[in-house]
Amino acid sequence: IFGILKQMKETFESNLSASQKEEMANQKAYEDLKAAKEDEIAAGQAQIDSKTKELAETDEKNAQAKVDIEDTKASLSADEQFLMMLKEKCQMTDKEWEERQKTRQLEMEAVSKALAILSGDDAHDLFTRTMNPSLLQRESAARSQHREQAARVLAAAAEKVHSPRLATLAYQVKLDAFTRVKKAIDDMVAQLTAE
């Protein structure tokens, strides 16, 4: 009986030793698996944190882009309105320029007519006669008649083209001597030529 019990004890002790070794190996495998899984969990959590942060940054960029696009649309609208106003202003300026060109042309024609009258033979005769003191009275009447005629032509031209400068010139022809009138006409012709 003692032999059997002794043999059973040895068997149990060897079984216990094998079981303890197996348990230790299983425990080590469990610890390794647990450490690997914890590393995977930590890596997964780090990836979640990284993706969450990236999502937040992307949402912020998206919101900023929406604000930027609204600002850009508002700026574009303002620029388009400015462009429309600028085009209208340019059209008005072009029309005014054409009107001024026509007016200048009419003024130049009127001045040419006035110069033709003033530089004609009648005016020349009148000028030469005014220098003769013996014919002073007679020349004064003829001179005033020619002056009146030149003033009428200039006044009609001024009224036709609505030019205050021509109207002033017509008034000066009535009142002033022809020397100042000729100087004013020459100045006006020079100015119109320059324009």
Side-chain angles (χ1 to χ4, degrees), residues 87-158:
K87 283 182 179 178
E88 289 175 11
K89 188 174 181 181
C90 286
Q91 287 175 350
M92 288 174 43
T93 304
D94 287 345
K95 287 179 185 176
E96 288 174 3
W97 173 252
E98 288 174 10
E99 288 176 16
R100 282 199 307 262
Q101 288 291 85
K102 289 177 185 175
T103 303
R104 294 296 169 264
Q105 187 62 34
L106 291 172
E107 286 177 353
M108 287 173 63
E109 289 174 11
V111 168
S112 295
K113 287 179 184 176
L115 280 172
I117 291 171
L118 292 174
S119 63
D121 290 337
D122 291 340
H124 185 268
D125 291 343
L126 180 64
F127 290 143
T128 56
R129 281 185 278 155
T130 55
M131 299 307 282
N132 189 348
S134 64
L135 302 173
L136 187 60
Q137 188 65 31
R138 196 173 61 149
E139 287 175 16
S140 176
R143 189 170 121 199
S144 96
Q145 188 178 17
H146 284 290
R147 186 183 297 176
E148 192 67 35
Q149 182 183 3
R152 272 183 278 159
V153 169
L154 286 172

Side-chain angles (χ1 to χ4, degrees), residues 165-193:
R165 285 192 285 175
L166 278 177
T168 303
L169 186 61
Y171 184 70
Q172 286 177 344
V173 166
K174 263 186 183 177
L175 299 178
D176 294 345
F178 274 111
T179 54
R180 285 197 279 173
V181 172
K182 285 170 62 177
K183 182 183 180 320
I185 289 173
D186 289 341
D187 291 346
M188 190 179 286
V189 166
Q191 184 179 3
L192 289 173
T193 304

